[in-house]
Amino acid sequence: MSVTDSELSILEAQDAAVASAIEEERRRQLGTLEMIASENFVSRAVQEAAGSVLTNKYAEGYPGKRYYNGCEPSDKVENLAIERVKQLFGSECANVQSHSGSTANQAVFFAAMKPGDTVLSLSLANGGHLSHGHRVNMAGQFFKIVNYGVSADNEQINFDEVASLAREHKPRMIITGGSAYPRLIDFAKFRTIADEVDAVFLVDMAHFAGLVAGKAIPSPVPHAHIVSSTTHKTLRGPRAGIILSNAEWGPKIDKAVFPGLQGGPLMHIVAAKAVAFGEALKPSFANYAKQVIRNAQTLGEALVSKGLRLVAGGTDTHLILVDLRNYNVTGKDAANALEHAGITVNKNAIPFDPQKEWVTSGIRIGSPALTSRGMKETEMRTIAGWIAEVVKDPTDESIQKRVRAQVGELTANYPLRADE
Ligand code: DSN
């Protein structure tokens, strides 16, 4: 499909204002380099399921036990999603109804804890996630949150700190995973600590679920009591969440999701999850996952060759965190300049960041979306050159203008979706 072909003929005729904003977004996605580490491009098949008539159906409950009638097709769809995701990750149980990663985590909190219980999680400032207990988040207000961080020397999880905080605070739950941690996580080490203090061990694999599905990195499933995830990042499904668990936790998680937290599931999104899980079970998805990592590593190495520093010395996954202090530039200025140049990333705090959280000293860059478009190492090296040029002087609009034109030429050669 070319950039000039709108996909929205009926909507255009009925509601030009909304259609035009959506069309603007489609062109933005197609004509720029999407490098936000948590974004991806779903296949047409996933998009069709997400836009299907299942949006019309109420199906409160679970397959075979619904409150409303007329749920037979919904049962089929949800069973497909459950069976496929269990097969994909080798888990005993799966709940596929969470609307998002944050509500998936909320359901786990309600299943495993009472308000006031203690949680030990990676701090947001060191790569964790809001829903793991930041003070402004619901979790931070209903539970006592203790944070571990990364070591100053290698910027990787400080296991001595995890163990000593666990012994001191005896948390009911220990969480790992986050949104800006580029290295592999030693899940076995976490489980040993969790067992020692009798804590529930939750891994939030939202960012790297697709890499686990493609067997490109080790799985948390054999180590954690419960694994939560989004489905739209590296996993390349619709915007939503899932929760995997063992047989002991499965029924408690189901109860916490519905009726504990949610009402009717978004059946169109559950259907899109089933399609995405089916895609992730194919051998081609393993190639995709490996290429995502090769692309992130190539991008990182190329940026280092231009004098930039990578947090934690590089990446084992789909994302890199760039420390811009060598260039004396803030994350905010760099991300804005890159947007003008047609390259979308986000400003991101780096560990021990001297800047405020709305400014930051870093940018987070990810490879999942461009890898879905078919870009490989050669393109990553080219893009790294553009990124380095733009962030070196974010005030130089002539560089941004030139790079914007080069980005337009490059993106014109790549479709948005893997099945186009
Ligand atoms: N907003 C997501 C991310 O970008 O990592 C996490 O929820």
Side-chain angles (χ1 to χ4, degrees):
M1 170 164 290
S2 100
V3 73
T4 52
D5 299 331
S6 168
E7 301 171 9
L8 304 169
S9 56
I10 296 171
L11 186 60
E12 258 171 10
Q14 184 185 311
D15 190 333
V18 172
S20 120
I22 296 174
E23 175 56 13
E24 190 184 324
E25 171 62 7
R26 188 183 70 83
R27 286 172 189 242
R28 188 193 68 79
Q29 291 183 14
L30 203 54
T32 59
L33 292 169
E34 183 50 74
M35 304 191 84
I36 289 179
S38 48
E39 295 189 12
N40 212 330
F41 300 121
V42 297
S43 67
R44 251 181 191 285
V46 168
Q47 195 174 310
E48 272 184 18
S52 70
V53 291
L54 279 165
T55 195
N56 301 329
K57 187 65 194 127
Y58 255 124
E60 282 151 311
Y62 289 102
K65 201 172 174 228
R66 307 279 189 186
Y67 282 78
Y68 293 175
N69 292 88
C71 287
E72 215 177 297
S74 294
D75 282 5
K76 283 185 188 152
V77 156
E78 187 163 346
N79 279 330
L80 281 168
I82 291 169
E83 289 314 313
R84 287 177 185 176
V85 79
K86 279 165 51 180
Q87 189 188 339
L88 191 58
F89 292 109
S91 68
E92 286 175 312
C93 298
N95 185 298
V96 297
Q97 292 193 3
S98 288
H99 301 331
S100 72
S102 287
T103 56
N105 286 337
Q106 285 169 11
V108 177
F109 277 43
F110 284 130
M113 293 188 291
K114 294 197 175 48
D117 279 354
T118 301
V119 176
L120 178 59
S121 62
L122 179 61
S123 72
L124 183 64
N126 282 201
H129 189 253
L130 266 181
S131 66
H132 299 175
H134 193 274
R135 66 182 185 286
V136 299
N137 186 265
M138 179 282 295
Q141 295 176 31
F142 284 83
F143 300 93
K144 184 182 164 214
I145 307 295
V146 179
N147 279 150
Y148 59 88
V150 298
S151 305
D153 54 347
N154 64 5
E155 298 170 310
Q156 297 188 42
I157 288 170
N158 181 343
F159 276 98
D160 290 339
E161 189 187 22
V162 177
S164 84
L165 288 172
R167 285 176 197 133
E168 183 187 342
H169 295 279
K170 301 271 182 299
R172 174 70 186 126
M173 183 185 285
I174 298 179
I175 309 178
T176 198
S179 53
Y181 189 76
R183 290 300 190 181
L184 294 180
I185 298 174
D186 189 337
F187 304 120
K189 228 177 202 174
F190 265 108
R191 177 60 187 260
T192 303
I193 296 169
D195 283 348
E196 188 193 318
V197 298
D198 202 20
V200 178
F201 178 35
L202 165 66
V203 176
D204 180 344
M205 66 167 178
H207 259 267
F208 52 86
L211 309 181
V212 174
K215 306 212 174 344
I217 63 170
S219 171
V221 171
H223 304 285
H225 297 101
I226 307 169
V227 175
S228 63
S229 184
T230 55
T231 47
H232 50 273
K233 298 185 176 90
T234 47
L235 194 48
R236 207 164 66 190
R239 185 163 294 280
I242 48 168
I243 306 169
L244 310 175
S245 60
N246 58 23
E248 180 200 343
W249 281 98
K252 295 180 198 162
I253 296 287
D254 283 349
K255 233 172 121 183
V257 173
F258 175 84
L261 193 66
Q262 299 183 175
L266 311 177
M267 287 315 302
H268 53 307
I269 299 300
V270 173
K273 288 181 206 182
V275 176
F277 301 149
E279 291 177 356
L281 281 164
K282 291 185 183 150
S284 57
F285 196 83
N287 297 336
Y288 165 71
K290 287 180 187 80
Q291 188 65 49
V292 165
I293 297 176
R294 280 198 293 271
N295 282 354
Q297 289 174 336
T298 303
L299 187 79
E301 284 157 17
L303 288 172
V304 167
S305 77
K306 308 277 176 202
L308 285 156
R309 191 185 83 83
L310 301 188
V311 168
T315 184
D316 303 312
T317 62
H318 61 298
L319 71 86
I320 54 175
L321 201 52
V322 183
D323 175 357
L324 297 162
R325 288 175 302 174
N326 287 0
Y327 278 14
N328 202 21
V329 166
T330 66
K332 182 182 174 190
D333 288 344
N336 287 341
L338 285 167
E339 184 175 357
H340 288 137
I343 301 172
T344 317
V345 303
N346 62 279
K347 63 176 171 288
N348 211 104
I350 58 170
F352 317 106
D353 203 319
Q355 298 282 0
K356 291 204 163 60
E357 53 198 17
W358 282 94
V359 179
T360 82
S361 302
I363 47 174
R364 187 186 65 164
I365 314 181
S367 59
L370 294 188
T371 308
S372 288
R373 292 187 75 168
M375 295 191 194
K376 296 213 163 88
E377 287 91 329
T378 308
E379 290 73 37
M380 293 302 124
R381 288 188 200 99
T382 304
I383 294 165
W386 294 337
I387 291 174
E389 270 188 277
V390 171
V391 303
K392 197 164 208 162
D393 184 359
T395 62
D396 189 335
E397 289 178 13
S398 65
I399 297 176
Q400 293 160 27
K401 209 167 155 204
R402 176 174 48 75
V403 171
R404 182 70 192 87
Q406 290 169 303
V407 166
E409 281 164 28
L410 177 68
T411 54
N413 298 320
Y414 293 89
L416 200 57
R417 302 177 181 87
D419 58 351
E420 270 176 350

